[in-house]
Amino acid sequence: MIRQIPSVDRFKQQLSAVLMQETRECRTGHFARRAPIYTAGQEDKAVYFVERGQIKLLMLAPDGRECLLAILTAGDIFGELCLSGLDERTESAIAMTTTVVRLIPCTQFFAVLSRNGLLEGFVQYLAVRIADQQEVIATLVTADSEQRLGKTLLHLARRLGKQDPRSIRIEPRISHEELAAMVHLSPRQLHRKFVETFGTSPQAFIMKLRIQAACEALQHEGSQISEVAVALGFCDQSSFTQQFHKHMGLTPLKYQQQFRLRQHGARTSVRL
């Protein structure tokens, strides 16, 4: 959950471009959703670069529950503790979606940084990663459940959010169980706290955001209802239409037609 610092953001973009170009010969790993990339205790001497997909890093709490440390997406790196000489993994990395990663040997990773003048930027990048991890731990230890939920949602918005006209939308799909793990609550406790805080269940809240995103997508010229349904994770157009009608009071097709009529009317009035 790397905080947004302009210089670090620029470094990450630069590092990502360099790694894409200079590590083409490295071994590539393909992982299905929920497949482990590595597990705590495993010996490994590679830095991982996310080519595409979504990954979660987690540790197990003494009671057996998952403590989610970070969610990573394309362009991120992880497993960098091996650069210190520590061969044994202290956390587990799990694919959240179909994911492709490159395994870069430590010596080659250092060589890429040195060759491209990226060592100083990498130190700052690691410092920010450490600060973020400290904040996660402090939140888990000192904050009550409502504060943990609020801070976690803010982290997700900063890290994974995309700006749209109405709000910041978290595009990668995060399950109820994964969000519960991030705030160190059981799914049942998360549901209760979410309702107390937002006045609705997590599922209803997420569905509302998906319908808002659908409205925006349907306004685009040439947008197809079936494509919007797939992009927003609905299993088929029928289920999308049902949920859209439930929230908006009309079908996606009718919404799209009404929007275009209003848009056409506005253009006509401007010309007059």
Side-chain angles (χ1 to χ4, degrees):
M1 301 175 194
I2 302 174
R3 63 191 68 202
Q4 291 180 313
I5 298 175
S7 60
V8 174
D9 291 341
R10 288 193 297 271
F11 170 80
K12 181 186 167 184
Q13 292 171 3
Q14 184 180 5
L15 178 62
S16 177
V18 168
L19 292 177
M20 283 293 291
Q21 181 69 28
E22 298 195 20
T23 62
R24 293 175 180 175
E25 304 302 318
C26 290
R27 185 160 60 96
T28 300
H30 296 255
F31 299 89
R33 181 171 179 263
R34 296 181 179 174
I37 296 170
Y38 60 72
T39 56
Q42 179 179 329
E43 289 193 5
D44 195 346
K45 296 182 179 181
V47 176
Y48 289 73
F49 172 66
V50 185
E51 193 169 318
R52 64 176 181 270
Q54 186 175 323
I55 292 160
K56 61 181 178 181
L57 300 181
L58 56 89
M59 300 179 73
L60 287 180
D63 59 7
R65 285 189 293 177
E66 291 183 355
C67 177
L68 201 147
L69 302 174
I71 293 176
L72 306 174
T73 56
D76 284 323
I77 62 168
F78 63 100
E80 64 271 21
L81 277 180
C82 67
L83 297 172
S84 69
L86 184 65
D87 297 336
E88 194 172 282
R89 298 300 184 190
T90 59
E91 79 288 346
S92 297
I94 310 294
M96 298 176 68
T97 63
T98 301
T99 296
V100 179
V101 298
R102 293 185 188 179
L103 286 70
I104 309 171
C106 292
T107 52
Q108 184 174 349
F109 187 81
F110 274 129
V112 170
L113 293 180
S114 179
R115 189 162 55 245
N116 291 276
L118 297 175
L119 285 170
E120 183 177 342
F122 187 65
V123 171
Q124 185 180 13
Y125 174 86
L126 287 181
V128 172
R129 284 281 288 263
I130 292 169
D132 275 347
Q133 293 301 314
Q134 289 176 336
E135 185 173 343
V136 169
I137 295 168
T139 297
L140 289 174
V141 172
T142 63
D144 60 29
S145 55
E146 287 86 354
Q147 289 177 317
R148 293 202 302 271
L149 178 57
K151 288 185 176 183
T152 298
L153 291 173
L154 182 59
H155 265 307
L156 291 173
R158 287 173 176 168
R159 178 69 182 86
L160 305 173
K162 300 292 184 182
Q163 184 71 52
D164 66 29
R166 299 185 182 187
S167 61
I168 294 176
R169 185 170 69 250
I170 299 171
E171 291 190 338
R173 298 175 201 167
I174 299 171
S175 71
H176 187 189
E177 291 74 17
E178 287 163 344
L179 182 57
M182 293 184 75
V183 296
H184 208 61
L185 295 172
S186 69
R188 181 176 296 180
Q189 289 172 322
L190 172 65
H191 185 278
R192 186 175 68 251
K193 293 298 181 183
F194 207 99
V195 171
E196 290 174 0
T197 304
F198 297 102
T200 187
S201 69
Q203 295 89 340
F205 185 81
I206 291 170
M207 182 58 70
K208 180 180 178 181
L209 295 180
R210 291 168 76 188
I211 296 301
Q212 288 178 354
C215 289
E216 180 192 350
L218 290 169
Q219 294 172 15
H220 294 163
E221 189 70 30
S223 62
Q224 300 295 317
I225 294 172
S226 59
E227 294 175 355
V228 172
V230 171
L232 291 171
F234 291 92
C235 58
D236 54 43
Q237 187 173 330
S238 176
S239 61
F240 170 57
T241 298
Q242 182 180 9
Q243 288 294 335
F244 193 94
H245 189 277
K246 178 180 177 181
H247 284 78
M248 301 300 295
L250 71 172
T251 65
L253 178 60
K254 193 68 175 177
Y255 175 88
Q256 199 172 49
Q257 290 171 340
Q258 289 185 2
F259 174 80
R260 288 173 181 170
L261 281 173
R262 290 195 302 269
Q263 194 176 44
H264 177 73
R267 288 173 180 170
T268 302
S269 63
V270 168
R271 285 198 298 269
L272 294 174

